[in-house]
């Protein structure tokens, strides 16, 4: 299956794509600043409340593996629009939930369909062309990251003002509006695609395994990004529990505000993309991997003498480091085989969010027994493992691989 050039993605379309992917990704993080409140509202334990984070990560990973590969054989425009609409519907169910079990299930369903963002990201890379590919991905992915961060802030503000259900309903409405905007502006003509059949779908899933075997760079970058995200998401639940606890006693609005610090990392995405397009991706990868354990060492002081300044510095550095690893890794994997970009993205992002799932699950289990210190050590350990892995295996990215066909 060959890929043809469709059009050039202009700044306006890229920004709208970034908004849509950001809103889609926001559905994964609505509960972060209100975990403490939801725990009390539904009578959950700390561990069960932490599962709201875990099911979001796990659901997203499942959607990446099962849904995103379809973008290589079906038109991406209707697929992305359908997924955005389904995410909005799941958010409405979550907002109307009367029990913790319904909230958990609806959150998982919203996460599964939120992979519409990952149908849009490689589409943006294709529309932009090779010379602007990393920049286009950086712009759209900055929307993904900003969506997660802003959702935490707005979730806290809306919860304090109107109750915990409001963020879910507001996000659902915004998603529908973004889907309507994309329906008017996204190119209506995709490259020729054969369509989806049961046999072809099975072939898609099987070919992902073949892609993993064929490309060592895909294996390395997927694991690097997974460890980097695992380290990053540790701060999600841990920061909420720390700031809501007796040392700080912050409200959901205040907790959501601190999450805006990660916007520094998200806004660095387009700049990182420009640097990658100039051939400096390897340096940025190494810098990002070094930055993350340093950030955790700074945040270790947040529950002691360092207090809030240590937390602020650590969160900013952690966000920039994670963004550098993600953007440079995407530049590497999207260049491997353009006609299989959907499946390659599914492998990469699926592994990426499996790492996030394990990181959030470990945090939920570790917090009751080890608190902030234990979570900081966990985050630093995961980041350090990624750095060591890259230093040992980075040369595999220069190894030529065979041209085996991956057509569905």
């Amino acid at each position: 299956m060959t890929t043809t050039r469709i059009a050039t993605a202009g700044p306006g379309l890229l920004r709208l794509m970034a908004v849509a992917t950001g809103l889609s990704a926001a559905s994964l993080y609505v509960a972060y600043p209100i975990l403490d409140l939801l725990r009390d509202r539904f009578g959950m334990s700390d561990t069960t409340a932490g599962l709201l984070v875990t099911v979001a990560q796990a659901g997203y990973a499942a959607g990446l593996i099962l849904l995103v590969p379809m973008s290589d054989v079906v038109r991406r425009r209707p697929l992305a629009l359908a997924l955005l609409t389904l995410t909005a519907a799941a958010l409405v169910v979550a907002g109307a939930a009367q029990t913790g079990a319904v909230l958990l299930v609806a959150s998982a369903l919203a996460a599964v369909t939120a992979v519409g963002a990952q149908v849009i990201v490689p589409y943006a890379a294709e529309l932009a062309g090779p010379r602007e590919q990393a920049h286009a991905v950086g712009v759209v992915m900055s929307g993904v990251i900003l969506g997660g961060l802003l959702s935490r802030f707005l979730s806290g503000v809306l919860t304090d003002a109107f109750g915990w259900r409001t963020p879910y309903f507001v996000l659902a409405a915004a998603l529908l509006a973004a889907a309507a905007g994309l329906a008017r502006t996204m190119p209506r003509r995709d490259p020729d695609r054969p369509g989806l059949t049961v046999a072809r779908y099975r072939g898609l899933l099987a070919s992902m395994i073949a892609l993993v075997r064929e490309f060592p760079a895909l294996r390395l970058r997927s694991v690097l990004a997974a460890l980097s995200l695992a380290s990053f998401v540790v701060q999600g639940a841990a920061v909420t529990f720390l700031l809501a606890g007796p040392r700080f006693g912050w409200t959901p609005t205040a907790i959501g505000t601190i999450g805006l610090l990660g916007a520094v990392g998200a806004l660095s995405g387009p700049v990182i993309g420009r640097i990658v397009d100039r051939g400096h991706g390897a340096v940025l990868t190494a810098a990002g991997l070094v930055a993350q354990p340093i950030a955790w060492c700074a945040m270790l002081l947040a529950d002691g003498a360092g207090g809030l300044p240590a937390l602020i510095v650590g969160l900013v550095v952690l966000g920039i480091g994670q963004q550098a690893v993600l953007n440079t890794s995407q530049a590497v994997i999207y260049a491997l085989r353009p006609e299989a970009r959907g499946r390659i993205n599914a492998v990469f992002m699926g592994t990426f969010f499996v790492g996030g799932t394990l990181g959030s699950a470990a945090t939920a289990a570790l917090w009751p027994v080890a608190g902030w210190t234990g979570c900081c050590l966990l985050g630093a350990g995961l980041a350090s493992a990624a750095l060591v892995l890259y230093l040992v295996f980075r040369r595999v990215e220069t190894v030529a691989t065979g041209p085996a066909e991956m057509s569905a």
Side-chain angles (χ1 to χ4, degrees):
M1 183 172 62
T2 59
T3 301
T4 59
R5 179 73 180 274
I6 303 172
T8 299
L13 178 56
L14 285 178
R15 285 194 291 268
L16 184 55
M17 286 178 160
V19 169
T21 57
L23 290 170
S24 185
S27 64
L28 303 177
Y29 303 104
V30 175
Y32 271 59
I34 58 174
L35 284 175
D36 201 55
L37 186 153
L38 293 174
R39 177 192 62 191
D40 295 339
R41 170 66 177 78
F42 291 108
M44 300 175 177
S45 65
D46 284 347
T47 299
T48 304
L51 285 177
L52 286 168
V53 176
T54 302
V55 298
Q57 300 291 331
Y60 202 72
L64 285 164
I65 294 169
L66 299 176
L67 299 179
V68 173
M70 293 192 299
S71 66
D72 283 339
V73 296
V74 302
R75 293 178 60 219
R76 288 173 178 163
R77 180 179 179 276
L79 177 61
L81 295 176
L83 290 173
L84 292 174
T85 303
L86 289 172
T87 303
L91 288 169
V92 170
V93 175
Q98 298 298 319
T99 67
V102 172
L103 180 61
L104 280 168
V105 171
S107 297
L109 291 175
V112 170
T113 56
V115 296
Q118 296 307 323
V119 174
I120 295 172
V121 171
Y123 194 30
E126 186 173 309
L127 292 171
R131 293 186 178 181
E132 295 289 327
Q133 176 178 293
H135 172 66
V137 170
V139 170
V140 179
M141 281 302 298
S142 69
V144 174
I145 305 302
L146 278 173
L149 296 169
L150 291 174
S151 73
R152 301 183 197 187
F153 170 69
L154 293 176
S155 178
V157 171
L158 291 172
T159 295
D160 279 344
F162 305 107
W164 71 267
R165 299 181 189 276
T166 306
Y168 289 95
F169 295 142
V170 170
L171 180 56
L175 264 173
L176 291 176
L182 284 179
R184 291 192 300 269
T185 58
M186 282 179 72
R188 291 181 176 273
R189 179 175 157 272
D190 278 347
D192 294 335
R193 300 185 188 279
L196 188 66
T197 64
V198 173
R200 188 167 285 123
Y201 181 68
R202 290 174 180 169
L204 285 173
L205 298 182
S207 70
M208 288 195 295
I209 299 174
L211 286 165
V212 172
R213 290 174 178 169
E214 181 181 359
F215 294 114
L218 177 58
R219 297 195 297 269
L220 175 62
R221 288 293 177 160
S222 296
V223 175
L224 282 181
L227 287 170
S228 177
L229 180 63
S231 173
F232 181 78
V233 301
V234 168
Q235 56 83 24
V239 167
T240 298
F241 291 141
L242 173 70
L243 296 178
R247 174 172 172 77
F248 292 94
W250 284 19
T251 65
T253 296
I255 294 171
T257 301
I258 201 74
L260 292 177
L261 291 171
V264 177
L267 293 173
S268 69
V271 177
I272 290 171
R274 289 291 190 196
I275 297 173
V276 172
D277 284 330
R278 294 187 180 100
H280 304 296
V283 174
L284 283 179
T285 297
L289 290 170
V290 169
Q292 286 192 281
I294 291 175
W296 278 112
C297 289
M299 287 194 290
L300 187 61
L301 304 174
D303 198 25
L308 193 58
L311 182 64
I312 291 173
V313 171
L315 287 174
V316 170
V317 175
L318 186 69
I320 294 174
Q322 196 270 331
Q323 186 75 16
V325 175
L326 175 60
N327 283 21
T328 56
S329 294
Q330 286 176 306
V332 170
I333 62 137
Y334 287 163
L336 295 175
R337 179 163 292 163
E339 71 272 18
R341 196 169 276 157
R343 283 162 285 169
I344 287 174
N345 192 52
V347 170
F348 175 79
M349 296 303 296
T351 308
F352 181 63
F353 277 94
V354 165
T357 300
L358 295 176
S360 62
T363 305
L366 188 61
W367 178 267
V369 296
W372 179 252
T373 298
C375 289
C376 286
L377 294 176
L378 171 64
L382 291 167
S384 298
L387 176 60
V388 171
L389 186 71
Y390 182 67
L391 293 177
V392 173
F393 293 105
R394 67 187 186 279
R395 286 186 178 85
V396 303
E397 293 183 357
T398 63
V399 177
T401 55
E405 290 296 325
M406 291 291 167
S407 57

